[in-house]
Amino acid sequence: MSVLTRTPAPQGRTRISRLQGKARYAPTLATVGLFLAMFAAGAIMYPGFLSGQVFLNLLIDNTFLIVLAVGMTFVILTGGIDLSVGSVVALSMMIAAALLQAGWNPIAVIALVLLTGATFGLLMGLVIQVFEIQPFIVTLAGLFLARGLCYVISVDSITVTDPFFTAMAQARIPLTGNLFIAPGVVIALVVVAIAFYVLHQTRFGRTVYAIGGGESSALLMGLAVPRTKVLVYGISGLCSAIAGILFSFYSLSGYSLAATGLELDAIAAVVVGGTLLTGGYGYVLGSLAGVLILGIVQTFISYEGTLSSWWTRIVIGALLLAFILLQKLFSRKVKLT
Amino acid sequence: MNALLKHRLTWPVLALVLLLVLNQLFRSDFLSVRVQDGHLYGSLIDILRNGAPTILIALGMTLVIASRGIDLSVGAVAAIAGAVSCTYIYNSPDPTSLRTAAIGVSIAVVAGLALGLWNGFLVAVIGIQPIIATLVLMTAGRGLAQLVTDGQIISVSNDPYQAIGAGFFLGLPISILIAVAAFAVAGLLTRRTALGTLIEAVGINPVASRLAGLNARTITWTVYVFSGLCAAIAGLMISSNVTAADANNAGLYIEMDAILAVVIGGTSLAGGRYSLVGTLVGALIIQTLTTTVYTLGIPPEVTLVFKALVVIIVCLLQSSKARTLLGKRKRPLTEQAEVKVAV
């Protein structure tokens, strides 16, 4: 059987597929629209909200969530799920903090943490693929394992005093005017750009979408389905490790209980960003918008002094529900056309 | 003998016995149960008492999983149940009376039923995947619980309320009696009537069962309501045992423990096959494992690592693919696909 080397040219598109093509952007456009509406509402309600720095702070405060959401997008696009990301973030922070405390070179520490995260993800992917166990239960085991390993390293919080990490935590890159960003933002945006390139310009990316669209069809097309399915979990693990390093830059410590429930935020960001949970549809830029929406919810609640922090969780839950219902409507429409 | 080896409860029970023996080896008084102040005391009783909430939640989870669903929100529902009952008792004019406790418990039970109705509505009526539908409440639920308690840990001192989680009746902990009663009721309802078979039918193929004349929607809805009810009672036990409602930490990760117990007990995560007794054994294994870690002097936080290993091992044992890999090697899927295409 011959292997498809390139996708057929789009010249023979029918009217139906063009309709689907437009509908495909609907959830992501809804996300971007919602973000703009929320930002505008904030600008009207609160003086000082409409500034570039408020927007940039959204990025600065959520760098790790952006990277996590990127990894999660890959996994969800194949129709899987990764519940272990929050724990892997905590584990990465603990490994980094413990090794830095032991006097390791920061670059070596970062390299080792990234390697650990990627390996952890690949191993989970292998178990999922080789033994045909549901991703949900395997990554649940991963959640337990990574969180438990945090406690094995140390039950107490470890402070990071390494000069490189503190420099990264305090560094600000000035932009035009009085605006500035943190180095973490650059890293996060580079990760988004690479993910965008990989998903849309490489054969690997097309395979990811194909698996989400229909695994057996992808297999029959001769695509490297098993390898790709293992690799997406590796990517998610790597992204979790990067997020762990970014979180370390942000918090300058390692703590076993850090990042609890972060997997829910990451999944919520991806869903709010318009990626279909059944796989096959979605964009990494949508996930970025999803993270920004979660961030702006938090900003709203801190601007509105009377609202307590737990409203964040309730609002995120409500947003998640709203977008799931929207997806439901959207997928029905696609079936009709 | 062969039939005994193949019975699906053999391995879980064997694992439980092994764990108990291991504990006995390390602490010679482990298996002894003594009577003190008319109550039974001992490590075994502790395992039962501390395991009661997990047993209850796992019971509800078993039926949900049997219908090919999953309920991730049970921990949050437990937290909400504890929060509403404790907040009611705390704010009532007579916070120590039996009447107040009864009303508090009723409110929590109604809340659990309502949240179960909500989950069931999303899954059965709207048709959202169970894992995602219950994720909504898992995310928002702890926020709701904090909203109820206003972010505080609400302490109550109400003797009848405290009895639910910490009291004794006829020498046995009340919490375990409640859990056993719930098991008996669920067992009778699902195994002495056709209900259990109907749930399994929905789990195997919802569409086919609907076409066969089953009211699949109502059955699916019912299992989520039952799961919500179990979670609410478990939440009452947890808050009653510590005489306080902690919206953040009550029932944290209990959904994971419950799913683990169900899987260990031989219920298939793919739906369509369940064992209530297996779940009971599974939940006891989880609780004994936690106790073992204490007995062996390992830091309790490391329990998570052991749980992870148990999940992986149990899943590998259940996976038909792992069995074939160990035994005769099956042809890889790609090869089969190629053959089909060639034809």
Side-chain angles (χ1 to χ4, degrees):
Chain A
M1 162 178 181
S2 72
V3 175
L4 275 183
T5 44
R6 66 185 59 173
T7 45
Q11 51 194 9
R13 271 196 172 185
T14 60
R15 202 170 140 257
I16 292 169
S17 77
R18 225 180 294 136
L19 272 174
Q20 278 182 343
K22 261 184 204 164
R24 219 163 46 182
Y25 296 112
T28 311
L29 286 177
T31 311
V32 175
L34 179 67
F35 175 74
L36 292 176
M38 286 172 89
F39 208 83
I44 295 166
M45 280 155 63
Y46 312 109
F49 196 93
L50 188 66
S51 82
Q53 196 57 47
V54 170
F55 175 75
L56 291 178
N57 282 343
L58 284 179
L59 292 173
I60 295 173
D61 293 335
N62 292 297
T63 50
F64 48 91
L65 194 53
I66 293 173
V67 177
L68 273 187
V70 167
M72 189 68 83
T73 310
F74 276 84
V75 175
I76 292 184
L77 277 177
T78 64
I81 196 130
D82 189 351
L83 296 176
S84 72
V85 292
S87 298
V88 176
V89 166
L91 181 62
S92 307
M93 291 170 72
M94 285 305 281
I95 294 176
L99 290 181
L100 288 173
Q101 201 182 32
W104 278 49
N105 179 312
I107 302 300
V109 169
I110 292 174
L112 187 78
V113 165
L114 297 187
L115 191 68
T116 314
T119 315
F120 195 88
L122 281 176
L123 284 178
M124 288 194 301
L126 274 175
V127 174
I128 292 167
Q129 178 57 35
V130 174
F131 298 110
E132 290 172 6
I133 305 177
Q134 292 180 355
F136 148 71
I137 194 83
V138 174
T139 54
L140 183 64
L143 181 156
F144 276 139
L145 188 63
R147 189 67 70 181
L149 289 175
C150 288
Y151 289 114
V152 174
I153 294 174
S154 165
V155 178
D156 303 315
S157 149
I158 307 173
T159 315
V160 174
T161 51
D162 179 81
F164 176 72
F165 272 63
T166 27
M168 286 299 267
Q170 286 154 1
R172 291 287 177 265
I173 303 170
L175 301 174
T176 50
N178 287 325
L179 305 178
F180 60 86
I181 52 171
V185 175
V186 179
I187 298 173
L189 292 180
V190 166
V191 170
V192 172
I194 293 174
F196 185 82
Y197 172 78
V198 168
L199 274 178
H200 298 291
Q201 301 294 328
T202 66
R203 197 198 295 184
F204 174 80
R206 298 315 301 166
T207 312
V208 167
Y209 278 100
I211 293 174
E215 193 174 333
S216 37
S217 319
L219 207 54
L220 290 171
M221 281 164 72
L223 299 177
V225 171
R227 191 181 65 199
T228 309
K229 270 179 78 186
V230 174
L231 278 177
V232 289
Y233 291 94
I235 290 174
S236 181
L238 178 66
C239 283
S240 309
I242 298 174
I245 297 290
L246 290 177
F247 209 153
S248 302
F249 288 163
Y250 188 75
S251 71
L252 283 181
S253 67
Y255 181 40
S256 300
L257 272 175
T260 343
L262 204 60
E263 59 277 354
L264 297 183
D265 286 347
I267 296 171
V270 173
V271 173
V272 170
T275 299
L276 229 59
L277 278 159
T278 40
Y281 291 95
Y283 303 94
V284 74
L285 291 180
S287 300
L288 175 64
V291 173
L292 291 179
I293 285 188
L294 299 198
I296 209 166
V297 168
Q298 214 135 29
T299 314
F300 264 143
I301 283 164
S302 60
Y303 263 75
E304 185 75 41
T306 52
L307 285 179
S308 312
S309 60
W310 47 84
W311 277 103
T312 317
R313 299 231 65 85
I314 299 174
V315 172
I316 291 176
L319 274 177
L320 190 58
L321 178 68
F323 273 83
I324 290 167
L325 292 177
L326 188 76
Q327 286 191 358
K328 199 76 200 164
L329 274 173
F330 158 72
S331 49
R332 258 189 212 146
K333 254 186 206 154
V334 167
K335 262 183 209 153
L336 285 175
T337 46
Chain B
M1 186 63 199
N2 215 1
L4 187 70
L5 270 179
K6 274 190 181 152
H7 194 276
R8 63 178 177 208
L9 280 182
T10 310
W11 292 107
V13 170
L14 213 64
L16 181 60
V17 171
L18 248 165
L19 269 176
L20 291 174
V21 169
L22 184 72
N23 276 292
Q24 175 70 18
L25 287 178
F26 275 87
R27 245 185 49 203
S28 52
D29 63 338
F30 183 80
L31 289 177
S32 70
V33 174
R34 64 204 151 79
V35 178
Q36 195 176 316
D37 306 331
H39 306 325
L40 291 176
Y41 274 97
S43 301
L44 289 180
I45 303 294
D46 276 348
I47 291 176
L48 288 176
R49 198 164 63 103
N50 295 330
T54 315
I55 292 174
L56 252 183
I57 289 184
L59 170 67
M61 188 74 81
T62 309
L63 295 184
V64 172
I65 290 180
S67 75
R68 206 195 275 182
I70 194 101
D71 190 350
L72 294 180
S73 71
V74 285
V77 173
I80 293 174
V84 290
S85 64
C86 285
T87 308
Y88 173 77
I89 294 172
Y90 183 80
N91 288 327
S92 76
D94 184 14
T96 52
S97 75
L98 176 65
R99 190 169 162 271
T100 311
I103 296 176
V105 168
S106 314
I107 296 174
V109 167
V110 169
L113 290 172
L115 294 169
L117 270 174
W118 165 256
N119 279 333
F121 173 74
L122 290 184
V123 175
V125 180
I126 311 271
I128 302 172
Q129 295 156 275
I131 184 171
I132 303 309
T134 53
L135 185 70
V136 172
L137 194 53
M138 186 191 187
T139 311
R142 288 202 182 270
L144 288 173
Q146 278 180 309
L147 185 68
V148 171
T149 61
D150 208 19
Q152 309 286 317
I153 292 178
I154 308 280
S155 295
V156 292
S157 56
N158 179 310
D159 289 337
Y161 186 71
Q162 207 176 331
I164 302 171
F168 285 83
F169 180 71
L170 296 177
L172 283 168
I174 291 178
S175 58
I176 195 65
L177 290 176
I178 296 174
V180 167
F183 251 92
V185 170
L188 281 176
L189 276 180
T190 60
R191 286 311 190 197
R192 292 291 156 206
T193 70
L195 188 59
T197 317
L198 300 187
I199 293 173
E200 288 181 332
V202 172
I204 292 166
N205 192 332
V207 179
S209 59
R210 185 172 58 79
L211 293 176
L214 293 189
N215 196 340
R217 182 175 283 183
T218 311
I219 290 172
T220 311
W221 208 335
T222 311
V223 292
Y224 284 94
V225 172
F226 181 65
S227 175
L229 174 68
C230 288
I233 299 173
L236 286 173
M237 284 178 187
I238 295 168
S239 70
S240 148
N241 198 18
V242 295
T243 66
D246 183 349
N248 268 327
N249 296 314
L252 193 63
Y253 288 139
I254 204 164
E255 58 277 348
M256 313 295 179
D257 278 355
I259 295 168
L260 189 51
V262 174
V263 174
I264 292 177
T267 297
S268 161
L269 269 177
R273 193 187 66 153
Y274 74 94
S275 160
L276 290 180
V277 183
T279 296
L280 183 64
V281 175
L284 289 176
I285 289 180
I286 304 278
Q287 194 57 42
T288 313
L289 190 70
T290 312
T291 314
T292 311
V293 168
Y294 281 106
T295 315
L296 296 182
I298 304 169
E301 292 84 359
V302 186
T303 319
L304 285 174
V305 177
F306 286 95
K307 283 183 188 167
L309 295 178
V310 171
V311 183
I312 294 166
I313 292 167
V314 170
C315 282
L316 287 183
L317 287 177
Q318 279 195 354
S319 150
S320 55
K321 192 69 189 276
R323 279 188 199 149
T324 37
L325 281 181
L326 284 174
K328 211 174 88 183
R329 252 191 102 87
K330 214 170 77 179
R331 255 189 319 176
L333 202 59
T334 41
E335 237 177 87
Q336 291 175 350
E338 268 185 2
V339 171
K340 269 184 211 152
V341 170
V343 170

